[in-house]
Amino acid sequence: MSESNITITLIGARLAKPGTQFIFRGAAAECEKCKLKNVCLNLDKDKKYQVVGVRNGNDHECFLHDVCVRAVEVTPCPIIVAIESRKAFNGSKIVYEEPACDTACASYSLCHPPGLVSGEKYTISEVLDESPPCDKGLTLKKVELRQ
């Protein structure tokens, strides 16, 4: 993993452990009056991140978190998603478009994973072996996407 993929941000102390994954949902109303908001709000909204390191330093009071916030190093998470197999090639770039599916489909959560943004560009870092079923009759492949 390259240093350029690492972002330093502040998150709740209870979440500040290597391996923790979260989706950054953006600013809350309480953030407006905080002097540290630029450090907390430096991530992309609705993207999934993983804590890869905890910085030594001070804990900071937070209007939102019940304990405090702590400086951590995060990287964007790879996201597992099912896409049409004809688009599933290692290293290829795709624009994710959320499919119009029935929520009762057994693969719905795999085709609509949290952290993907419709219209955003992603790279297929790995095509996985699994071929999930599709109620619409499409041939799907499970892939790992990175931004």
Side-chain angles (χ1 to χ4, degrees), residues 13 16 31:
C31 299

Side-chain angles (χ1 to χ4, degrees), residues 8-16 34-40 54-72:
I8 298 170
T9 192
L10 297 173
I11 65 170
R14 294 177 197 248
L15 300 172
C34 180
K35 65 182 180 180
L36 299 172
K37 69 181 175 186
N38 290 338
V39 181
C40 291
V54 179
R55 289 284 175 118
N56 292 330
N58 298 331
D59 290 342
H60 305 279
E61 285 187 40
C62 178
F63 301 117
L64 193 59
H65 291 274
D66 62 340
V67 180
C68 59
V69 291
R70 192 168 289 154
V72 295

Side-chain angles (χ1 to χ4, degrees), residues 100-109 112 133-136:
C101 305
D102 183 357
T103 57
C105 176
S107 297
Y108 183 85
S109 62
H112 300 83
C134 175
D135 287 355
K136 291 172 68 174

Side-chain angles (χ1 to χ4, degrees), residues 53-135:
V54 179
R55 289 284 175 118
N56 292 330
N58 298 331
D59 290 342
H60 305 279
E61 285 187 40
C62 178
F63 301 117
L64 193 59
H65 291 274
D66 62 340
V67 180
C68 59
V69 291
R70 192 168 289 154
V72 295
E73 299 170 350
V74 299
T75 59
C77 279
I79 299 174
I80 306 298
V81 62
I83 63 171
E84 289 184 67
S85 62
R86 64 184 175 87
K87 298 177 183 178
F89 296 98
N90 283 334
S92 66
K93 297 190 184 321
I94 65 165
V95 174
Y96 174 73
E97 295 298 335
E98 191 171 66
C101 305
D102 183 357
T103 57
C105 176
S107 297
Y108 183 85
S109 62
L110 190 55
C111 293
H112 300 83
L116 279 184
V117 178
S118 200
E120 290 279 323
K121 292 180 184 178
Y122 297 90
T123 300
I124 298 174
S125 58
E126 186 177 355
V127 177
L128 306 171
D129 290 335
E130 191 175 333
S131 298
C134 175
D135 287 355

Side-chain angles (χ1 to χ4, degrees), residues 31-56:
C31 299
E32 286 307 311
K33 57 189 170 220
C34 180
K35 65 182 180 180
L36 299 172
K37 69 181 175 186
N38 290 338
V39 181
C40 291
L41 304 178
N42 62 345
L43 303 177
D44 294 327
K45 188 175 182 200
D46 295 326
K47 300 285 173 67
K48 191 173 184 179
Y49 294 90
Q50 179 169 338
V51 176
V52 294
V54 179
R55 289 284 175 118
N56 292 330

